[in-house]
Amino acid sequence: MSGIALLGMMGMLVFPLLAVAALLVYATISGSARTGLHPGALLARWIGAVAAVVLTIAIVALSLQGTWPSGRLGLGALTGTSLLIGVTALVLAILVGELTLPARSASQRYGLLAPRDSRALVSRPALMNAAVSAIALIAYALFTTAVASPDDQGRPGRSLAHTGVDGFTSGAYGPFPGQWYTVPVLVALGVLALTGIGALVIVVRRRPSADPHDLLLRRRSVTSLLGAIAVGTGLTIQVLAMHGLLGFLRVAQPEYQEMVLGVAGTVISVAVAIVGLLSAVLGAVMVCVPAAIARRIPDSANRARTGEPGSRGPAAGTSTPDLPSRAVGAPSDGAEAVRPMERLSAPHGQGSPLAGRAAPVREGR
């Protein structure tokens, strides 16, 4: 039973990694029109994915072969952090790809007239996916930490103790994801979260690019950043759930007093593993094909652009610019500055053909 569960969990862990590789190949073949990635962003994702894999393997190899003042198991505690640290490198690579967009080449500086806050840039499904995955990881780590026991050497949180119904026989299963492993995981999750927040701030404040769909590109970049976080947390959930499930299956036997805990832990581990799998796969889509999630700019940002209530943003692949821009600091040479469309008011009355219509307003400097 434990062997079958282990094979199943390993298959669930490998599937999201294969999905990332397949989606990157698809993004390379399909081009930016379908994926929403400009060449610099696509290259950055390839580099970030390779760096994440190399970093993850290096940390695992170090933890298995290296030494530590507390012994080899001291470095072994870092194995659970490898995926989160690897994904942190992917987040940084996505950010670098976002900054490769060329700036506008002009003698004037431009300011964006549409809002660049979380409502305009964050896709709600993308945010929910990353949040659910992170919350599931934290909740499961706290659960396994609460029920874990010290091992035979007194190291805390490395095993799951069980006692026979006769009250005399006892034992423990390990390694189990108690505090020996979960505390480093939560620290690595904090590092990933801070890196992601910093990257989001940089994306919001990035100077306007020469691309007419600048706001949509920012929105897709934020989607990819949240997707990378979902991939890292989703895969880490599966790693913890795999070890936790094996421990709970061990004690979910009628001859142990902890049978109820074993059954409950088995159900929770399977449920959390499924959440991690779905979140990681969706996160892979968000990283490699953000246009599938962030298809258009939100209505609120588009209303700020057009001044028309209820207007919808342009879908992916359309030629309508996402944002107007306004020249700032233009030279005083008598040239006219063009304002965005403004709604006319008095002296036109309600009976006037111009009442309530939008028209461009020009004023001399």
Side-chain angles (χ1 to χ4, degrees):
M1 181 67 178
S2 297
I4 296 176
L6 179 61
L7 290 176
M9 295 292 287
M10 290 182 65
M12 292 174 63
L13 180 62
V14 171
F15 182 74
L17 299 177
L18 296 177
V20 171
L23 288 170
L24 280 176
V25 173
Y26 169 78
T28 303
I29 297 174
S30 300
S32 60
R34 292 186 178 181
T35 63
L37 300 177
H38 60 279
L42 178 60
L43 178 61
R45 279 157 178 76
W46 272 109
I47 296 175
V50 173
V53 171
V54 171
L55 199 56
T56 300
I57 294 176
I59 294 174
V60 173
L62 177 65
S63 64
L64 295 177
Q65 303 296 331
T67 59
W68 192 257
S70 59
R72 182 175 59 84
L73 292 178
L75 281 177
L78 299 178
T79 53
T81 68
S82 58
L83 290 166
L84 294 174
I85 295 175
V87 168
T88 302
L90 177 59
V91 168
L92 295 175
I94 294 174
L95 177 60
V96 171
E98 170 69 16
L99 298 179
T100 60
L101 283 169
R104 301 189 181 194
S105 56
S107 59
Q108 297 174 343
R109 294 181 295 110
Y110 290 85
L112 298 173
L113 298 183
R116 290 184 295 165
D117 55 13
S118 59
R119 293 170 297 178
L121 296 182
V122 177
S123 170
R124 186 171 298 177
L127 179 62
M128 290 182 60
N129 184 41
V132 167
S133 182
I135 292 173
L137 174 58
I138 295 173
Y140 188 75
L142 294 177
F143 170 64
T144 55
T145 299
V147 301
S149 307
D151 61 7
D152 54 357
Q153 300 296 322
R155 290 178 285 251
R158 287 205 67 248
S159 63
L160 181 63
H162 52 79
T163 305
V165 292
D166 56 6
F168 295 101
T169 59
S170 61
Y173 171 84
F176 184 80
Q179 69 187 68
W180 186 268
Y181 300 99
T182 56
V183 170
V185 165
L186 294 177
V187 172
L189 177 61
V191 172
L192 175 60
L194 291 176
T195 304
I197 292 173
L200 294 177
V201 171
I202 293 175
V203 169
V204 171
R205 296 183 178 180
R206 172 178 60 77
R207 79 280 186 275
S209 70
D211 196 296
H213 297 283
D214 185 77
L215 179 60
L216 186 56
L217 291 178
R218 294 173 195 262
R219 185 172 174 84
R220 288 171 175 171
S221 180
V222 170
T223 298
S224 290
L225 291 171
L226 293 173
I229 294 175
V231 169
T233 53
L235 292 176
T236 305
I237 288 173
Q238 294 181 71
V239 171
L240 293 184
M242 178 174 64
H243 289 86
L245 177 62
L246 296 177
F248 289 124
L249 286 174
R250 177 70 177 270
V251 303
Q253 305 296 331
E255 61 265 26
Y256 295 132
Q257 298 180 9
E258 296 81 6
M259 185 187 70
V260 175
L261 172 63
V263 173
T266 298
V267 173
I268 293 174
S269 298
V270 172
V272 169
I274 293 175
V275 170
L277 172 64
L278 297 178
S279 181
V281 172
L282 180 57
V285 175
M286 292 160 58
V287 170
C288 305
V289 193
I293 306 297
R295 299 187 58 83
R296 62 178 73 244
I297 60 175
D299 292 347
S300 59
N302 196 57
R303 284 195 294 269
R305 175 178 67 85
T306 62
E308 295 293 336
S311 59
R312 298 192 61 82
T318 60
S319 58
T320 305
D322 298 324
L323 291 174
S325 58
R326 180 176 181 177
V328 179
S332 301
D333 55 359
E336 293 180 340
V338 182
R339 288 184 179 177
M341 305 291 281
E342 294 183 356
R343 190 169 298 278
L344 296 179
S345 55
H348 302 292
Q350 293 184 352
S352 170
L354 296 179
R357 296 181 59 186
V361 178
R362 295 179 178 269
E363 64 177 11
R365 298 185 61 86

